[in-house]
Amino acid sequence: TGGENYSGVSQGISVAGGERVRAKLQAFVGSQESLVSTRNRATMKIEFYNRRGDYFGGPAMLGFEERPIADASTPTDVWKTHELVADVPEGAVEARLSIVFAQATNEPGAVHVDAIEFSRGGGS
């Protein structure tokens, strides 16, 4: 598009305030698809909504927790495990795991994601 653009996937689960949710995944950047010398990045986010199906930043969003899973400093050809645990805020009815790839001005690179787990409960 000539500017930064985003792609990704998401999955929501039903929750109640005071619960804890946990997301875990594995990410891989191949040497042929490296993010080195780019501004590209990938993140995992747990988003909270007081109404199911709303959009990121919309009126039903209560907040989010975010963790980077890949950027220009990510080693290549190695699967890395990433985990994110968050407490569900009061009033939330949906927690959504989103995996987002931000691509800056058509810069090259890719991130592969596998072994995704997303559930209520989980450690600290």
Side-chain angles (χ1 to χ4, degrees):
T1 63
E4 186 166 80
N5 62 79
Y6 303 91
S7 59
V9 297
S10 64
Q11 177 67 52
I13 58 175
S14 295
V15 294
E19 291 182 315
R20 179 168 278 185
V21 291
R22 174 181 170 269
K24 185 176 179 182
L25 58 79
Q26 299 225 357
F28 178 89
V29 176
S31 55
Q32 299 299 315
E33 303 168 311
S34 171
L35 303 180
V36 171
S37 299
T38 75
R39 293 168 287 154
N40 295 344
R41 63 199 181 285
T43 58
M44 63 188 294
K45 298 180 190 181
I46 299 176
E47 306 162 6
F48 298 102
Y49 298 88
N50 64 14
R51 185 179 63 243
R52 291 190 63 80
D54 201 41
Y55 57 93
F56 185 82
M61 182 175 223
L62 299 174
F64 67 96
E65 298 285 333
E66 180 176 36
R67 172 154 300 146
I69 61 171
D71 60 21
S73 66
T74 300
T76 58
D77 300 324
V78 177
W79 284 98
K80 281 194 72 179
T81 300
H82 301 274
E83 188 169 0
L84 183 57
V85 176
D87 294 323
V88 177
E90 289 303 318
V93 297
E94 180 186 13
R96 187 180 307 151
L97 174 62
S98 294
I99 301 162
V100 179
F101 184 80
Q103 181 186 31
T105 50
N106 297 321
E107 292 179 340
V111 179
H112 301 267
V113 179
D114 199 6
I116 300 169
E117 300 173 22
F118 185 44
S119 62
R120 289 182 302 279
S124 53

